[in-house]
Amino acid sequence: MSKNLVIVESPAKAKTIEGYLGKDFIVRSSFGHVRDLAKKNAIDIENGFNPNYEVSPDKKQIVAELKKLAKAAEIVWLATDEDREGEAISWHLKETLKLKDEETRRITFNEITKKAILKAITNYRTVNQKLVDAQQARRILDRIVGFELSPVLWRKVRPSLSAGRVQSVAVKLIVEREKEIQAHESSSFFRTSGIFKVKNGKIKGEISGSFENKEDVEAFLNSCIEANFKVQDLQKKPATKKPSAPFTTSTLQQEASLKLGFSVSRTMSVAQRLYESGHITYMRTDSVNLSETARNGAKEAIILKYGDAYSNPQQYRTKSSGAQEAHEAIRPTDFSVATVQMENDENKLYELIWKRAISSQMSDAKLERTTVKIGANGVEKSFTCKGEVIVFDGFLSVYIESKLSETEEEGTQGLLPKVEIGEAAERIEINANERFSRPPARYVEASLVKKLEELGIGRPSTYAPTISTVQKRGYVEKKIKDGKERHYLSMLLKDKEIETLTKSEITGREKNKLSPTDIGVVVTEFLQKNFEDIMDYQFTAIIENQFDEIAKGGLEWKKMLDSFYNPFHSGVENTIENSERATGERHLGNHPKSGRKIITRIGKFGPMVQIGDEKEDGEKAEFASLLSSQSIASITLEEALELFKLPRILGQHEGKDLKVNIGRFGPYVQIDRTFASIPKEIDPMEIDFDKALELYLEKLKQSEANKIKSFAEEPDLFVLNGKYGPYIKKGKSNYKIPKGTVAEDLELKDCLEIIENQPKKTRGKRKTAK
């Protein structure tokens, strides 16, 4: 057995690090956290918020192996990540493996290179209890919030809902943005541009500001018909363009979304693989700092590739006072390596990181900006033409040579023809197009991360899981909108005639924008009304700052939890006792024939329309689920009535009705007890017989492929292959197959025995967090 056991978080790191350390070291992975708060009785609130941790079932074998290796080793090196989460993993390992202080050493490294690993071995320390306490405080507080708020939502909104401290605030941002969009009233105006012929070519300019209406545009264009335009002013000014700071977690997520189209979670997964392969430094950081070693490495690479004039070593300072996750920005481990040979995603993200980091250590670009004004006597407004010339490319050379025209550092306008003040500018044409004011844009993942960071909500390690969680919980969704046709006026002055045309454009097209669902809106409004503090951006940021204070040793973690819990718990009890149910109910009108009231609201299985109320009119109410494209906030009475035309019978197949309907999980086609989902892009109100039959036959084919066994004696009993492995289905009920049982070998008596012995599901009241 080896004298030294090194424990890292991820197996991908283990082999690389073992190669660096040699035969006296054995490196193993804990595969992340080995233990977490217990499912039941997790926190003893009455006794100082003492946590009850237990080893996760899937980690018992790993813990057993690590215990055996630790017992045989002289020194155990805890080499988990250098942020709070990594510190907590090391502490949990120390506690779980019962390691003694004298035989335990904590090491961290910002990159997986031989130099960094060997340096870490000579700079070991003990586990930082302050960082551990900050992580424990976050974990416990978030468990308390989720554990106590979720049952409130079950009782007051709908079963199976959940709430979270950071997630609920993130949803609130999206809901508030949606309300701003709905409240926006579009107004029109006209943007005007002109093309002119000068001595050395053509030049295009725009009028600053806009015209409010068609009449003003016509008056302006008429004043231009006989006008003699000339160059009224010419200005040339030197300008400087500075490089951006190296990436932090959030700026990398934003840039990868903008340039590569990556989601936040995809960016983090790809960055993790680059880090574990030794290509970049640790990817969870809110620091823009670069180490002296990194700055020197960048300087060497820049001088070698571009020359002395391009090198400008500089240190960037992190603006956030709470920056704490890691000590350096995200950068390449070797600046001389401009590309890596991995998968496509990794190659693209590495190139983005390399360019941003190396350009941050390069000289400013020197530009010459030219502004030309063209106007005429008797013409109210003048046209401004702008252009710029790169005098010295500096850091832009990194981007220009790769021809990435979409990078933020580019975008320099083209050269303007040489002109002189007073020279004639012959009008070729002047064009005025009607434009419309826009509502605020919906968030995409990257802009939501930026907003959360601005407000001080969450930290680098929380952005990706937060955004994934709110989508998984069904509070937020990414909708693809095709857009609608819109008409606009276009007025063109050419020669001496003004031509007015009505043109069309597609507006409102969206992809990957975050929209709140109906349940997301109702839950947000309920929480905002009853838990103002939890939903307050400033309060949430204060909590984050308190975690930072705990990490620095300025605040005792249990005192912080105590000051939070008492008012919060009182609010929970008060809300359960006194608040009304929240359904988002909206009255649409009355049924045109029966006169019964029609409302839309959140029901047990989601947004729905209801006709009548048995308590009010003595008749049984009718219900219909909303389509995925509809919302309780905007559905009209006419659209609601259309839903009650379902189920639609489209025809017959083999003597059986082929129906279309909407259920709990969305629209579907059905024959007998076989159901096939209708894809989102197909309207269930318009689907025809042929398409519906195609979906049904495809479902039959898929079901047959998933069938492992069937039994003639029990025609409604099957052994099937499911998403999570084989299972038994009898009627509408599903049953787990015991571990170690081969599904293909099951006989009917075996299946019936498994069904008989299946543990009964219990649905008791959820207990408090303690």
Side-chain angles (χ1 to χ4, degrees):
M1 278 290 179
S2 177
K3 291 179 184 177
N4 295 278
L5 169 65
V6 180
I7 305 176
V8 295
E9 284 182 42
S10 122
K13 297 178 191 175
K15 276 192 177 179
T16 310
I17 293 171
E18 198 167 73
Y20 293 150
L21 292 173
K23 58 182 174 53
D24 286 338
F25 289 80
I26 182 169
V27 185
R28 290 291 180 269
S29 166
S30 69
F31 293 82
H33 274 284
V34 291
R35 68 177 190 174
D36 195 5
L37 290 170
K39 290 275 187 266
K40 293 178 181 177
N41 302 318
I43 306 154
D44 189 352
I45 291 168
E46 290 169 10
N47 290 300
F49 297 91
N50 283 333
N52 174 24
Y53 294 110
E54 59 183 24
V55 174
S56 311
D58 60 333
K59 295 293 175 71
K60 285 184 177 174
Q61 195 175 333
I62 292 164
V63 168
E65 186 194 347
L66 291 175
K67 273 184 177 174
K68 189 177 174 184
L69 292 167
K71 200 173 181 181
E74 289 177 17
I75 301 289
V76 177
W77 304 79
L78 301 174
T80 54
D81 291 341
E82 63 174 332
D83 56 12
R84 290 178 197 165
E85 206 68 32
E87 203 69 24
I89 292 171
S90 279
W91 178 75
H92 282 294
L93 282 165
K94 186 171 181 285
E95 295 285 306
T96 307
L97 304 179
K98 295 183 170 52
L99 302 176
K100 294 174 184 173
D101 289 343
E102 60 271 19
E103 62 186 22
T104 310
R105 291 176 183 176
R106 171 79 172 115
I107 55 170
T108 60
F109 35 84
N110 193 37
E111 58 189 60
I112 301 173
T113 58
K114 188 170 186 177
K115 185 179 177 183
I117 302 301
L118 295 177
K119 185 181 176 184
I121 290 291
T122 59
N123 288 278
Y124 61 84
R125 58 175 173 82
T126 56
V127 171
N128 184 331
Q129 193 60 42
K130 293 171 189 173
L131 292 181
V132 174
D133 289 346
Q135 190 275 344
Q136 284 196 98
R138 176 189 288 280
R139 185 75 189 92
I140 290 169
L141 189 144
D142 286 348
R143 169 65 75 91
I144 288 169
V145 170
F147 214 94
E148 297 209 2
L149 273 192
S150 297
V152 177
L153 295 179
W154 303 344
R155 291 172 69 168
K156 300 295 182 177
V157 185
R158 201 183 84 187
S160 304
L161 293 176
S162 56
R165 182 181 60 88
V166 176
Q167 295 93 321
S168 296
V169 174
V171 177
K172 180 186 170 183
L173 280 169
I174 295 163
V175 169
E176 286 184 341
R177 178 58 55 88
E178 194 67 25
K179 287 181 177 178
E180 288 175 41
I181 292 166
Q182 300 306 328
H184 176 78
E185 292 182 11
S186 186
S187 58
S188 69
F189 56 91
F190 287 82
R191 291 269 188 227
T192 308
S193 63
I195 300 174
F196 302 87
K197 185 180 178 185
V198 291
K199 190 165 56 179
N200 292 308
K202 289 180 183 177
I203 191 166
K204 183 178 180 180
E206 294 189 350
I207 286 176
S208 61
S210 59
F211 294 104
E212 288 186 10
N213 53 54
K214 180 187 173 186
E215 290 72 30
D216 289 348
V217 177
E218 280 180 335
F220 175 77
L221 294 178
N222 277 314
S223 73
C224 295
I225 291 174
E226 299 296 341
N228 295 313
F229 287 92
K230 64 180 180 180
V231 176
Q232 293 178 325
D233 192 23
L234 169 64
Q235 289 187 5
K236 291 186 178 181
K237 289 182 180 177
T240 301
K241 192 170 274 192
K242 293 180 178 294
S244 299
F247 284 129
T248 61
T249 302
S250 98
T251 54
L252 176 65
Q253 290 168 351
Q254 290 165 50
E255 201 74 349
S257 171
L258 185 68
K259 308 292 170 57
L260 308 177
F262 286 8
S263 69
V264 168
S265 56
R266 182 178 174 190
T267 297
M268 294 311 288
S269 296
V270 176
Q272 179 89 31
R273 291 193 287 276
L274 285 169
Y275 168 63
E276 289 174 351
S277 302
H279 293 304
I280 64 168
T281 53
Y282 192 55
M283 64 286 151
R284 289 191 180 92
T285 173
D286 48 14
S287 170
V288 290
N289 174 50
L290 289 179
S291 66
E292 188 180 351
T293 305
R295 296 197 301 277
N296 290 339
K299 183 180 178 179
E300 284 176 26
I302 291 162
I303 292 170
L304 187 66
K305 189 173 175 66
Y306 301 101
D308 282 339
Y310 286 83
S311 175
N312 179 31
Q314 55 187 309
Q315 184 61 283
Y316 293 84
R317 300 291 170 199
T318 305
K319 290 176 186 175
S320 167
S321 60
Q324 45 73 34
E325 293 289 353
H327 307 298
E328 270 199 271
I330 303 167
R331 62 164 175 84
T333 53
D334 183 350
F335 278 93
S336 68
V337 178
T339 56
V340 294
Q341 301 304 313
M342 291 179 72
E343 296 298 317
N344 193 37
D345 277 5
E346 282 83 345
N347 297 345
K348 284 180 181 176
L349 194 67
Y350 180 81
E351 189 178 1
L352 203 66
I353 292 166
W354 181 82
K355 284 177 180 169
R356 181 72 164 242
I358 202 163
S359 68
S360 77
Q361 298 302 300
M362 293 176 72
S363 304
D364 298 345
K366 305 293 181 186
L367 313 169
E368 183 183 74
R369 287 195 174 131
T370 305
T371 304
V372 177
K373 283 202 171 180
I374 291 175
N377 291 333
V379 176
E380 178 193 352
K381 295 175 183 278
S382 57
F383 294 83
T384 302
C385 319
K386 290 183 178 180
E388 62 186 30
V389 179
I390 297 174
V391 178
F392 171 64
D393 54 3
F395 79 96
L396 287 176
S397 58
V398 170
Y399 296 94
I400 292 167
E401 70 176 356
S402 63
K403 296 177 183 175
L404 278 179
S405 60
E406 71 273 22
T407 61
E408 74 190 27
E409 286 78 6
E410 293 184 273
T412 54
Q413 297 172 58
L415 279 168
L416 297 177
K418 191 175 180 182
V419 296
E420 293 176 359
I421 293 175
E423 82 169 79
E426 182 189 335
R427 169 178 57 81
I428 297 172
E429 65 177 47
I430 298 175
N431 189 216
N433 286 314
E434 187 179 16
R435 290 290 171 254
F436 300 86
S437 62
R438 294 180 180 178
R442 287 183 176 89
Y443 289 107
V444 292
E445 288 192 4
S447 59
L448 182 61
V449 164
K450 187 178 182 183
K451 189 67 179 175
L452 289 168
E453 187 180 41
E454 280 173 11
L455 293 169
I457 297 165
R459 289 295 181 259
S461 58
T462 66
Y463 300 138
T466 295
I467 290 171
S468 297
T469 300
V470 297
Q471 291 176 76
K472 283 176 190 167
R473 289 179 174 175
Y475 293 150
V476 172
E477 61 186 350
K478 286 181 183 174
K479 282 187 175 179
I480 296 174
K481 294 188 178 180
D482 294 331
K484 294 178 182 177
E485 187 179 33
R486 177 173 67 190
H487 296 286
Y488 67 95
L489 285 178
S490 178
M491 301 170 75
L492 178 67
L493 171 60
K494 213 167 186 179
D495 299 324
K496 294 190 177 185
E497 297 292 325
I498 299 172
E499 184 181 13
T500 303
L501 296 171
T502 300
K503 296 183 177 180
S504 66
E505 61 188 355
I506 300 297
T507 183
R509 187 182 280 124
E510 285 187 353
K511 189 180 179 184
N512 291 331
K513 297 284 180 78
L514 298 169
S515 298
T517 61
D518 283 330
I519 194 66
V521 173
V522 172
V523 166
T524 298
E525 289 176 347
F526 176 82
L527 292 175
Q528 181 64 41
K529 184 179 177 182
N530 295 286
F531 297 95
E532 206 172 338
D533 276 357
I534 293 292
M535 299 297 281
D536 182 73
Y537 301 130
Q538 197 175 355
F539 179 79
T540 310
I542 287 168
I543 293 289
E544 293 291 350
N545 289 333
Q546 287 177 345
F547 293 146
D548 294 342
E549 281 303 306
I550 293 166
K552 293 173 191 171
L555 183 62
E556 207 279 311
W557 70 284
K558 291 187 176 182
K559 281 183 181 174
M560 179 262 178
L561 289 174
D562 190 57
S563 64
F564 168 85
Y565 180 73
N566 291 322
F568 168 69
H569 184 66
S570 297
V572 169
E573 291 181 328
N574 182 55
T575 304
I576 289 172
E577 195 68 33
N578 301 312
S579 68
E580 295 178 0
R581 281 188 62 81
T583 64
E585 183 177 310
R586 190 166 73 90
H587 182 236
L588 300 179
N590 295 78
H591 197 282
K593 291 181 180 175
S594 67
R596 300 182 84 193
K597 183 171 77 173
I598 299 180
I599 61 168
T600 181
R601 64 179 177 85
I602 295 292
K604 188 179 178 183
F605 301 119
M608 52 169 254
V609 175
Q610 177 180 331
I611 298 178
D613 187 328
E614 195 169 354
K615 290 177 183 175
E616 288 182 15
D617 55 29
E619 288 183 53
K620 197 174 179 183
E622 295 178 65
F623 304 96
S625 296
L626 267 60
L627 299 172
S628 60
S629 58
Q630 294 173 328
S631 164
I632 60 176
S634 58
I635 190 171
T636 64
L637 178 62
E638 292 71 25
E639 289 166 340
L641 289 169
E642 282 291 307
L643 296 172
F644 288 91
K645 292 179 179 177
L646 296 171
R648 292 169 59 210
I649 297 175
L650 302 182
Q652 290 201 318
H653 174 67
E654 296 180 347
K656 294 173 182 175
D657 286 342
L658 175 61
K659 299 176 190 174
V660 175
N661 208 349
I662 301 176
R664 179 180 176 182
F665 303 109
Y668 60 88
V669 297
Q670 172 191 1
I671 292 181
D672 276 351
R673 295 181 70 178
T674 300
F675 303 83
S677 294
I678 297 174
K680 279 186 177 180
E681 61 272 15
I682 300 175
D683 188 339
M685 308 304 293
E686 294 180 8
I687 190 170
D688 61 21
F689 178 85
D690 291 340
K691 185 62 186 175
L693 183 60
E694 182 189 323
L695 293 171
Y696 165 76
L697 293 174
E698 185 61 37
K699 178 69 176 182
L700 273 187
K701 188 177 170 184
Q702 183 190 328
S703 299
E704 203 55 43
N706 289 340
K707 198 182 288 181
I708 297 172
K709 275 200 163 185
S710 60
F711 306 95
E713 309 96 301
E714 293 276 354
D716 68 339
L717 194 152
F718 304 94
V719 180
L720 302 171
N721 239 329
K723 187 178 177 182
Y724 304 107
Y727 67 99
I728 296 167
K729 184 177 183 71
K730 188 173 193 315
K732 290 184 179 180
S733 301
N734 299 333
Y735 302 91
K736 285 182 182 177
I737 294 174
K739 244 183 182 178
T741 304
V742 180
E744 288 78 0
D745 294 344
L746 288 171
E747 298 298 336
L748 177 59
K749 63 179 178 60
D750 303 321
C751 294
L752 293 172
E753 193 176 315
I754 289 169
I755 291 169
E756 183 64 31
N757 295 323
Q758 197 85 177
K760 296 286 184 287
K761 287 184 181 177
T762 56
R763 296 193 63 172
K765 287 185 180 178
R766 191 160 184 174
K767 296 176 182 177
T768 58
K770 72 173 183 174

